[in-house]
Amino acid sequence: MKFSDMRSKEVICAMDGERLGFVSDVEFDENSGQIKSLLVPGSYRFLGVLGREDDVTIPWDKITKIGDDLIIIERD
């Protein structure tokens, strides 16, 4: 799977159905070359006037399913 394919997928939490957003970046392990985590940009506060919340980092081991349109994760 290419990174460009990952960017078109929405990330959703399986436990509560929360929509976290779309993948914006991927973090790699320098030594192994494997993906460590996905990054999803934080949501905007009050129409963007008050900035954004912190980006969400999703460890690779929290991903339960990668589908055609969605990435389903589990959160602690």
Side-chain angles (χ1 to χ4, degrees):
M1 176 179 297
K2 296 184 279 184
F3 174 65
S4 59
D5 295 335
M6 296 281 270
R7 290 187 68 145
S8 65
K9 297 180 189 299
E10 186 174 15
V11 179
I12 296 181
C13 180
M15 297 182 75
D16 58 7
E18 180 182 2
R19 294 171 167 238
L20 300 174
F22 291 84
V23 176
S24 66
D25 207 353
V26 177
E27 184 177 11
F28 289 95
D29 182 309
E30 308 175 347
N31 299 321
S32 68
Q34 294 183 343
I35 297 174
K36 287 174 46 175
S37 60
L38 301 178
L39 299 173
V40 176
S43 58
Y44 288 101
R45 294 187 223 166
F46 191 69
L47 304 173
V49 176
L50 300 177
R52 279 190 356 197
E53 295 185 18
D54 293 335
D55 292 348
V56 178
T57 301
I58 302 161
W60 187 255
D61 62 348
K62 297 296 183 188
I63 297 172
T64 58
K65 178 79 174 167
I66 298 177
D68 292 337
D69 299 325
L70 300 172
I71 297 174
I72 300 176
I73 65 162
E74 288 183 9
R75 283 208 263 180
D76 297 328

XYZ file of all heavy atoms in Angstrom:
602
model
N 0.835 -1.171 0.000
C 0.000 0.000 0.000
C 0.888 1.245 0.000
O 1.866 1.317 0.727
C -0.895 -0.009 1.244
C -1.717 1.219 1.375
S -2.804 1.249 2.806
C -3.850 -0.109 2.443
N 0.535 2.210 -0.815
C 1.289 3.455 -0.905
C 0.761 4.466 0.106
O -0.391 4.392 0.542
C 1.155 4.032 -2.308
C 1.764 3.137 -3.379
C 1.683 3.802 -4.709
C 0.291 3.599 -5.275
N 0.121 4.123 -6.608
N 1.628 5.411 0.472
C 1.214 6.456 1.402
C 0.046 7.257 0.852
O -0.862 7.647 1.587
C 2.388 7.374 1.738
C 1.992 8.544 2.581
C 1.520 8.354 3.871
C 2.073 9.824 2.087
C 1.133 9.433 4.652
C 1.699 10.899 2.862
C 1.231 10.708 4.142
N 0.048 7.501 -0.429
C -1.054 8.267 -1.027
C -2.391 7.551 -0.839
O -3.434 8.198 -0.722
C -0.789 8.523 -2.509
O -0.650 7.309 -3.204
N -2.371 6.220 -0.777
C -3.599 5.464 -0.499
C -4.047 5.668 0.942
O -5.243 5.726 1.232
C -3.385 3.973 -0.749
C -3.103 3.659 -2.205
O -3.515 4.445 -3.076
O -2.463 2.625 -2.465
N -3.088 5.760 1.871
C -3.407 5.948 3.287
C -4.048 7.313 3.524
O -4.939 7.450 4.358
C -2.139 5.838 4.134
C -1.485 4.499 4.098
S -2.302 3.332 5.136
C -1.418 3.611 6.633
N -3.604 8.332 2.803
C -4.101 9.692 3.016
C -5.572 9.833 2.676
O -6.235 10.745 3.156
C -3.302 10.690 2.187
C -1.900 10.864 2.693
C -1.240 11.953 1.964
N -1.913 13.201 2.349
C -1.312 14.338 2.482
N -0.041 14.438 2.250
N -1.972 15.419 2.821
N -6.097 8.966 1.844
C -7.503 9.070 1.450
C -8.423 8.301 2.389
O -9.619 8.222 2.152
C -7.681 8.567 0.019
O -7.376 7.187 -0.046
N -7.874 7.754 3.472
C -8.672 6.956 4.410
C -8.945 7.731 5.689
O -8.077 8.386 6.236
C -7.944 5.659 4.737
C -7.751 4.777 3.516
C -7.035 3.509 3.875
C -6.644 2.713 2.660
N -7.741 2.276 1.840
N -10.183 7.629 6.161
C -10.576 8.276 7.405
C -10.303 7.338 8.571
O -10.535 6.133 8.470
C -12.048 8.648 7.368
C -12.485 9.455 8.561
C -13.904 9.947 8.436
O -14.660 9.447 7.584
O -14.259 10.840 9.215
N -9.827 7.883 9.681
C -9.516 7.095 10.869
C -10.685 7.196 11.846
O -11.121 8.303 12.198
C -8.221 7.595 11.541
C -7.919 6.788 12.784
C -7.057 7.523 10.560
N -11.190 6.027 12.273
C -12.331 5.968 13.185
C -11.992 5.046 14.339
O -11.426 3.969 14.149
C -13.593 5.478 12.451
C -13.977 6.489 11.376
C -14.742 5.244 13.423
C -15.202 6.138 10.594
N -12.385 5.450 15.551
C -12.167 4.645 16.750
C -13.292 3.623 16.854
O -14.476 3.975 16.810
C -12.132 5.535 17.976
S -11.877 4.629 19.503
N -12.945 2.344 17.022
C -13.930 1.266 17.082
C -14.770 1.321 18.353
O -15.934 0.926 18.354
C -13.233 -0.086 16.984
N -14.208 1.811 19.442
C -14.906 1.776 20.728
C -16.091 2.733 20.795
O -17.148 2.378 21.288
C -13.933 2.068 21.864
C -12.849 1.014 21.976
S -11.751 1.321 23.340
C -12.805 0.826 24.680
N -15.906 3.961 20.290
C -16.977 4.940 20.415
C -17.431 5.537 19.077
O -18.308 6.388 19.038
C -16.567 6.062 21.367
C -15.303 6.785 20.938
O -14.800 6.521 19.831
O -14.807 7.612 21.730
N -16.824 5.120 17.981
C -17.204 5.605 16.664
C -16.712 7.006 16.344
O -17.113 7.597 15.346
N -15.811 7.543 17.175
C -15.308 8.905 16.961
C -14.515 8.974 15.657
O -13.661 8.148 15.384
C -14.413 9.328 18.125
C -13.861 10.722 17.964
C -12.934 11.123 19.083
O -12.670 10.311 19.988
O -12.456 12.267 19.037
N -14.811 9.982 14.875
C -14.091 10.225 13.621
C -12.925 11.147 13.933
O -13.125 12.299 14.303
C -15.010 10.862 12.598
C -16.107 9.951 12.166
C -17.115 10.689 11.316
N -17.981 9.724 10.682
C -18.130 9.610 9.370
N -17.497 10.426 8.570
N -18.912 8.686 8.871
N -11.717 10.625 13.772
C -10.531 11.392 14.120
C -10.028 12.261 12.977
O -9.316 13.229 13.196
C -9.419 10.445 14.583
C -9.775 9.612 15.808
C -8.674 8.608 16.095
C -10.004 10.497 17.001
N -10.360 11.899 11.750
C -9.912 12.662 10.593
C -9.163 11.778 9.620
O -9.241 10.552 9.674
N -8.430 12.393 8.730
C -7.706 11.682 7.685
C -6.211 11.681 7.990
O -5.687 12.634 8.562
C -7.966 12.324 6.323
C -9.378 12.137 5.839
C -10.386 12.988 6.251
C -9.690 11.082 5.005
C -11.685 12.807 5.816
C -10.991 10.884 4.565
C -11.990 11.751 4.974
N -5.537 10.640 7.577
C -4.097 10.500 7.802
C -3.372 11.631 7.076
O -3.605 11.877 5.898
C -3.602 9.130 7.285
C -2.095 9.007 7.411
C -4.298 7.991 8.025
N -2.475 12.311 7.814
C -1.706 13.388 7.190
C -0.237 13.022 7.025
O 0.440 13.572 6.164
C -1.802 14.673 8.014
O -1.185 14.503 9.265
N 0.255 12.091 7.854
C 1.664 11.737 7.787
C 1.870 10.366 8.413
O 1.005 9.859 9.123
C 2.512 12.774 8.513
C 3.935 12.864 7.984
O 4.313 12.029 7.134
O 4.657 13.764 8.413
N 3.035 9.798 8.150
C 3.403 8.485 8.673
C 4.771 8.612 9.318
O 5.652 9.280 8.779
C 3.447 7.427 7.543
C 3.898 6.084 8.052
C 2.098 7.309 6.869
N 4.951 7.979 10.467
C 6.242 7.989 11.145
C 6.877 6.609 10.985
O 6.251 5.590 11.260
C 6.034 8.301 12.629
C 7.306 8.437 13.392
C 7.039 8.808 14.848
O 5.890 8.757 15.299
O 8.019 9.143 15.515
N 8.140 6.592 10.520
C 8.860 5.354 10.268
C 9.936 5.114 11.320
O 10.499 6.052 11.868
C 9.557 5.404 8.899
C 8.622 5.337 7.745
C 8.168 6.498 7.136
C 8.189 4.121 7.259
C 7.311 6.447 6.063
C 7.324 4.063 6.181
C 6.886 5.225 5.581
N 10.262 3.843 11.547
C 11.422 3.468 12.346
C 12.631 3.559 11.423
O 12.657 2.927 10.370
C 11.249 2.054 12.879
C 12.389 1.617 13.767
O 13.561 1.751 13.353
O 12.112 1.128 14.869
N 13.619 4.350 11.811
C 14.786 4.579 10.953
C 15.566 3.306 10.671
O 16.117 3.129 9.586
C 15.752 5.564 11.599
C 15.156 6.827 12.047
C 16.144 7.705 12.795
O 17.234 7.244 13.182
O 15.804 8.870 12.980
N 15.654 2.431 11.657
C 16.470 1.232 11.511
C 15.791 0.135 10.699
O 16.405 -0.466 9.828
C 16.853 0.681 12.891
C 17.661 1.686 13.677
O 18.496 2.380 13.114
N 17.401 1.784 14.966
N 14.520 -0.123 10.969
C 13.838 -1.229 10.300
C 13.090 -0.794 9.049
O 12.775 -1.612 8.193
C 12.863 -1.906 11.263
O 11.791 -1.030 11.570
N 12.736 0.499 8.965
C 11.960 0.979 7.824
C 10.479 0.698 7.957
O 9.707 0.994 7.055
N 10.054 0.148 9.095
C 8.644 -0.165 9.307
C 7.897 1.056 9.831
O 8.474 1.925 10.470
C 8.498 -1.326 10.284
C 9.041 -2.623 9.729
C 8.823 -3.768 10.699
O 8.560 -3.572 11.875
N 8.936 -4.976 10.191
N 6.607 1.083 9.568
C 5.774 2.179 10.043
C 5.594 2.063 11.553
O 5.236 1.007 12.060
C 4.398 2.167 9.350
C 4.563 2.390 7.849
C 3.489 3.229 9.951
C 3.278 2.261 7.061
N 5.854 3.161 12.274
C 5.663 3.204 13.724
C 4.280 3.726 14.085
O 3.638 3.217 14.992
C 6.711 4.103 14.383
C 8.092 3.511 14.413
C 9.144 4.472 14.932
C 8.767 5.222 16.171
N 9.851 6.051 16.698
N 3.843 4.766 13.373
C 2.558 5.370 13.715
C 2.021 6.206 12.563
O 2.745 6.553 11.632
C 2.696 6.243 14.961
O 3.632 7.260 14.744
N 0.734 6.507 12.663
C 0.064 7.399 11.728
C -0.222 8.705 12.447
O -0.485 8.708 13.649
C -1.263 6.793 11.262
C -1.209 5.442 10.570
C -2.629 4.996 10.224
C -0.355 5.485 9.330
N -0.188 9.811 11.728
C -0.501 11.108 12.301
C -1.765 11.658 11.652
O -1.907 11.639 10.428
C 0.647 12.086 12.085
C 1.967 11.687 12.731
C 3.071 12.644 12.303
C 1.850 11.672 14.233
N -2.668 12.132 12.502
C -3.913 12.748 12.054
C -3.939 14.161 12.618
O -3.725 14.350 13.824
C -5.135 11.943 12.572
C -6.431 12.620 12.186
C -5.101 10.515 12.032
N -4.173 15.175 11.784
C -4.178 16.546 12.302
C -5.305 16.760 13.309
O -6.385 16.193 13.164
C -4.376 17.421 11.069
C -4.683 16.523 9.952
C -4.430 15.114 10.367
N -5.022 17.582 14.328
C -6.041 17.917 15.326
C -7.164 18.728 14.710
O -6.981 19.417 13.709
N -8.316 18.661 15.338
C -9.470 19.389 14.819
C -9.345 20.879 15.125
O -8.649 21.292 16.051
C -10.757 18.826 15.418
O -10.713 18.911 16.828
N -10.037 21.677 14.325
C -10.027 23.126 14.516
C -10.934 23.508 15.680
O -11.967 22.891 15.899
C -10.502 23.849 13.247
C -9.483 23.796 12.138
C -9.613 22.900 11.093
C -8.391 24.642 12.153
C -8.674 22.848 10.075
C -7.449 24.597 11.138
C -7.603 23.703 10.115
O -6.669 23.648 9.123
N -10.512 24.526 16.411
C -11.326 25.053 17.502
C -12.049 26.307 17.016
O -11.431 27.190 16.426
C -10.442 25.441 18.681
C -9.758 24.279 19.314
C -9.052 24.755 20.545
N -7.739 24.117 20.558
C -6.758 24.482 21.325
N -6.892 25.487 22.136
N -5.622 23.839 21.289
N -13.320 26.378 17.258
C -14.159 27.521 16.927
C -13.828 28.120 15.563
O -13.268 29.201 15.440
C -14.084 28.594 18.005
C -15.130 29.663 17.833
C -16.456 29.372 18.028
C -14.776 30.933 17.452
C -17.418 30.342 17.855
C -15.727 31.915 17.274
C -17.051 31.618 17.481
N -14.149 27.356 14.529
C -14.001 27.787 13.139
C -12.573 28.148 12.742
O -12.352 28.919 11.823
C -14.930 28.971 12.849
C -16.416 28.753 13.143
C -17.181 30.044 12.963
C -16.986 27.662 12.256
N -11.598 27.637 13.468
C -10.202 27.891 13.138
C -9.650 29.174 13.718
O -8.454 29.439 13.624
N -10.510 29.986 14.311
C -10.065 31.260 14.870
C -9.144 31.026 16.078
O -8.181 31.749 16.277
C -11.278 32.129 15.292
C -10.832 33.411 15.972
C -12.146 32.426 14.084
N -9.433 30.001 16.859
C -8.644 29.703 18.049
C -7.571 28.655 17.798
O -7.046 28.060 18.727
C -9.571 29.245 19.185
C -10.626 30.259 19.622
C -11.520 29.650 20.683
C -9.971 31.528 20.124
N -7.251 28.416 16.548
C -6.203 27.452 16.209
C -6.724 26.022 16.147
O -7.917 25.788 15.987
N -5.789 25.094 16.287
C -6.127 23.670 16.207
C -5.701 22.966 17.477
O -4.798 23.400 18.176
C -5.373 23.008 15.055
C -5.973 23.209 13.734
C -5.362 22.360 12.663
N -4.227 21.548 13.083
C -3.378 20.996 12.270
N -3.497 21.185 10.996
N -2.386 20.267 12.709
N -6.339 21.835 17.722
C -5.905 20.984 18.811
C -4.655 20.238 18.358
O -4.302 20.248 17.180
C -7.018 20.012 19.185
C -8.230 20.739 19.746
C -9.300 19.795 20.244
O -8.999 18.613 20.468
O -10.425 20.264 20.417
N -3.965 19.573 19.280
C -2.749 18.832 18.950
C -3.049 17.701 17.974
O -4.151 17.145 17.977
C -2.127 18.231 20.214
C -1.587 19.301 21.153
O -1.255 20.402 20.671
O -1.502 19.031 22.357
N -2.055 17.379 17.144
C -2.194 16.250 16.235
C -2.329 14.959 17.030
O -1.819 14.842 18.141
C -0.974 16.148 15.320
C -0.891 17.302 14.328
O -1.879 18.042 14.196
O 0.159 17.441 13.690
N -3.021 13.991 16.442
C -3.233 12.701 17.086
C -2.236 11.711 16.492
O -2.169 11.543 15.275
C -4.673 12.194 16.855
C -4.884 10.843 17.489
C -5.678 13.213 17.371
N -1.444 11.067 17.358
C -0.497 10.040 16.932
C -1.108 8.683 17.240
O -1.487 8.409 18.378
C 0.843 10.192 17.670
O 1.365 11.493 17.395
C 1.836 9.148 17.220
N -1.212 7.840 16.230
C -1.822 6.525 16.389
C -0.749 5.463 16.181
O -0.277 5.277 15.051
C -2.959 6.327 15.374
C -4.002 7.432 15.573
C -3.571 4.951 15.512
C -4.904 7.637 14.410
N -0.350 4.770 17.251
C 0.649 3.708 17.106
C 0.138 2.609 16.161
O -1.061 2.294 16.139
C 0.815 3.165 18.524
C 0.295 4.239 19.413
C -0.773 4.952 18.632
N 1.051 2.049 15.394
C 0.685 1.045 14.404
C -0.031 -0.155 15.030
O -0.953 -0.709 14.437
C 1.932 0.591 13.651
C 1.613 -0.311 12.506
C 1.795 -1.657 12.453
C 1.029 0.059 11.248
N 1.373 -2.147 11.237
C 0.890 -1.109 10.475
C 0.608 1.275 10.704
C 0.359 -1.108 9.202
C 0.077 1.275 9.428
C -0.046 0.096 8.696
N 0.342 -0.521 16.259
C -0.278 -1.696 16.884
C -1.709 -1.440 17.346
O -2.404 -2.375 17.743
C 0.575 -2.218 18.042
C 0.737 -1.220 19.171
O 0.390 -0.035 18.989
O 1.219 -1.620 20.237
N -2.198 -0.209 17.280
C -3.584 0.107 17.641
C -4.527 0.018 16.440
O -5.731 0.148 16.584
C -3.682 1.512 18.255
C -2.926 1.648 19.548
C -3.515 0.750 20.608
C -2.799 0.930 21.925
N -3.221 -0.047 22.910
N -3.972 -0.189 15.253
C -4.798 -0.320 14.056
C -5.346 -1.745 13.996
O -4.599 -2.711 14.055
C -3.987 -0.004 12.790
C -3.524 1.444 12.829
C -4.804 -0.281 11.530
C -2.568 1.816 11.727
N -6.670 -1.855 13.912
C -7.285 -3.177 13.865
C -7.680 -3.592 12.453
O -7.690 -4.771 12.141
C -8.529 -3.255 14.773
O -9.467 -2.266 14.369
C -8.144 -3.039 16.219
N -7.997 -2.607 11.608
C -8.444 -2.936 10.257
C -8.185 -1.754 9.333
O -8.433 -0.612 9.679
C -9.946 -3.254 10.280
C -10.569 -3.561 8.961
C -10.275 -4.953 8.529
C -11.053 -5.272 7.269
N -10.629 -6.453 6.629
N -7.664 -2.061 8.153
C -7.518 -1.053 7.104
C -8.412 -1.494 5.957
O -8.175 -2.525 5.315
C -6.060 -0.914 6.627
C -5.176 -0.468 7.783
C -5.975 0.071 5.461
C -3.714 -0.356 7.449
N -9.474 -0.732 5.745
C -10.427 -1.058 4.692
C -10.219 -0.197 3.469
O -9.218 0.514 3.336
N -11.185 -0.242 2.558
C -11.094 0.544 1.327
C -11.157 2.047 1.598
O -10.481 2.827 0.946
C -12.224 0.167 0.370
C -12.070 -1.240 -0.172
O -10.929 -1.750 -0.184
O -13.087 -1.839 -0.569
N -11.995 2.450 2.577
C -12.199 3.869 2.856
C -11.833 4.277 4.276
O -11.717 5.461 4.558
C -13.662 4.254 2.639
C -14.109 4.023 1.212
O -13.282 4.213 0.309
O -15.284 3.662 1.003
N -11.695 3.293 5.173
C -11.515 3.588 6.594
C -10.332 2.860 7.191
O -9.946 1.802 6.730
C -12.751 3.144 7.387
C -14.083 3.751 7.044
C -15.180 3.040 7.808
C -14.094 5.225 7.366
N -9.806 3.446 8.268
C -8.836 2.778 9.121
C -9.483 2.738 10.498
O -9.825 3.786 11.053
C -7.496 3.526 9.176
C -6.868 3.556 7.789
C -6.564 2.874 10.199
C -5.605 4.388 7.704
N -9.690 1.560 11.021
C -10.332 1.396 12.326
C -9.264 1.133 13.367
O -8.389 0.283 13.167
C -11.371 0.267 12.280
C -12.432 0.616 11.243
C -11.985 0.047 13.654
C -13.475 -0.429 11.010
N -9.337 1.880 14.476
C -8.335 1.769 15.525
C -8.999 1.449 16.871
O -10.208 1.623 17.033
C -7.502 3.049 15.672
C -8.367 4.218 16.140
C -6.801 3.381 14.371
C -7.590 5.372 16.699
N -8.181 1.000 17.802
C -8.603 0.859 19.188
C -7.792 1.847 20.008
O -6.621 2.063 19.743
C -8.321 -0.556 19.704
C -9.227 -1.592 19.135
C -8.976 -2.968 19.718
O -8.200 -3.072 20.691
O -9.550 -3.911 19.203
N -8.431 2.460 20.980
C -7.737 3.385 21.874
C -7.852 2.875 23.292
O -8.823 2.234 23.655
C -8.337 4.779 21.807
C -7.925 5.518 20.586
C -7.934 6.980 20.831
N -9.194 7.549 20.347
C -9.479 8.823 20.432
N -8.657 9.648 21.015
N -10.592 9.284 19.961
N -6.869 3.221 24.104
C -6.900 2.832 25.511
C -7.844 3.690 26.305
O -8.141 4.764 26.031
C -5.504 2.935 26.125
C -4.548 1.958 25.441
O -4.992 0.899 25.006
O -3.361 2.299 25.366
